[in-house]
Amino acid sequence: MVKTSFCAMLNLSAKAMIKVENISKTFGDFHALKNVSLEVLTGEKVVVCGPSGSGKSTLIRCINGLERHDEGLIEVADNRLTHTSSSLRAVRSSVGMVFQQFNLFPHLTVKQNLTLGPVRTRKLSQPDADKLAMAYLERVRIPEQADKFPRQLSGGQQQRVAIARSLCMEPQIMLFDEPTSALDPEMINEVLDVMSELAGSGMTMICVTHEMGFAKRVADTMVFMDHGEIVEKAPPEQFFSNPGTERCRDFLSKILAH
């Protein structure tokens, strides 16, 4: 059965949750992004792939304001990113981000890692934050780890804690920056399963990954980047069966061979 494109099921008035228009970013003499434009609709799942150094991580870090774009326009959940403190707060209140590394506080328990943001930033009471933390630990399937410290967990469990921590801020959008690249092979699927469940729940997502099996299952739109540019953007059925550029065909032939 052919998967129906999410975008095809939406009417033309569907709301754009993320708008990126002609953004550029340089690091010294290195042009990381070159006039990149991308629109992500509410509930859409976008998977971004491409070779190392193609600008994938820089793109999503710019969307979250972790990198300052040099030119162009970024809007997230109707908030224009201008890099004032108020615009950064508005954008980041709508966005959760999961990195390659887990970035958990080693001196705090799992539950304390999850409740820190809701208590300090969202001003939840500690009992309410505890309830929220346990609900999301249930969702990522590790509620029994709540009172352990990160060092007592496997890499896959730590990454699931990192996902739950982002969800505790109740974002409208989730960004994933190669979330399985630091994991041992046997731990990858447990993280991808959680991400697939999250995608199925209707969360708006951008995921930078080379996990093409996951991309085929959950993506509404595939984006291929190279040398700081979006080279190809297509539904997964077209992207994998009939890529439109030689560069994309070459990339897929190498990555799908592994």
Side-chain angles (χ1 to χ4, degrees):
M1 180 177 171
V2 177
K3 177 183 173 185
T4 301
S5 168
F6 171 84
C7 296
M9 294 188 294
L10 291 175
N11 62 44
L12 295 177
S13 63
K15 177 183 176 183
M17 187 63 74
I18 298 170
K19 291 181 183 178
V20 175
E21 295 181 1
N22 300 314
I23 68 164
S24 294
K25 172 66 182 177
T26 57
F27 297 98
D29 294 332
F30 178 62
H31 211 156
L33 296 174
K34 306 172 186 175
N35 297 314
V36 170
S37 295
L38 180 67
E39 186 170 279
V40 181
L41 303 180
T42 302
E44 188 177 3
K45 271 67 70 178
V46 175
V47 171
V48 183
C49 62
S52 178
S54 60
K56 310 179 301 292
S57 294
T58 301
L59 172 60
I60 63 170
R61 288 175 65 85
C62 283
I63 290 171
N64 201 23
L66 294 173
E67 296 288 355
R68 184 173 190 142
H69 57 291
D70 300 323
E71 299 175 2
L73 169 71
I74 297 175
E75 286 186 0
V76 180
D78 294 326
N79 296 297
R80 181 169 179 174
L81 181 58
T82 62
H83 290 279
T84 63
S85 57
S86 59
S87 85
L88 284 170
R89 281 195 302 271
V91 166
R92 290 174 181 168
S93 69
S94 302
V95 178
M97 188 156 178
V98 177
F99 301 87
Q100 297 176 37
Q101 302 300 324
F102 321 124
N103 298 323
L104 301 174
F105 292 110
H107 63 291
L108 300 180
T109 66
V110 166
K111 185 162 69 173
Q112 287 169 337
N113 267 280
L114 266 62
T115 60
L116 188 63
V119 169
R120 292 195 176 180
T121 304
R122 298 181 58 210
K123 308 303 181 185
L124 265 64
S125 68
Q126 191 64 53
D128 285 345
D130 288 343
K131 286 181 184 178
L132 191 68
M134 292 309 301
Y136 282 117
L137 286 175
E138 289 275 1
R139 186 166 181 178
V140 300
R141 307 169 195 168
I142 48 171
E144 72 283 357
Q145 310 297 340
D147 296 321
K148 291 184 179 179
F149 289 91
R151 65 179 178 274
Q152 297 174 290
L153 307 183
S154 69
Q157 289 171 330
Q158 289 187 62
Q159 191 61 294
R160 284 189 277 169
V161 171
I163 294 171
R165 178 179 58 183
S166 289
L167 292 174
C168 279
M169 299 303 287
E170 303 203 311
Q172 299 177 64
I173 300 159
M174 286 290 289
L175 306 177
F176 295 90
D177 186 7
E178 300 195 39
T180 61
S181 64
L183 300 179
D184 292 334
E186 65 269 20
M187 297 177 184
I188 289 174
N189 282 340
E190 63 187 58
V191 173
L192 293 179
D193 285 346
V194 168
M195 292 170 60
S196 295
E197 186 277 329
L198 188 61
S201 73
M203 176 69 75
T204 305
M205 293 169 55
I206 301 180
C207 182
V208 172
T209 185
H210 288 153
E211 298 291 340
M212 293 296 99
F214 166 80
K216 288 179 181 179
R217 288 199 310 274
V218 309
D220 299 306
T221 303
M222 294 294 304
V223 171
F224 173 68
M225 295 188 68
D226 193 24
H227 292 101
E229 299 177 297
I230 292 179
V231 176
E232 191 152 347
K233 178 175 175 282
E237 302 83 16
Q238 175 184 333
F239 183 85
F240 288 107
S241 65
N242 188 28
T245 62
E246 183 61 35
R247 182 66 187 94
C248 188
R249 284 192 290 273
D250 180 61
F251 174 80
L252 288 174
S253 70
K254 291 175 181 175
I255 198 166
L256 293 176
H258 292 291

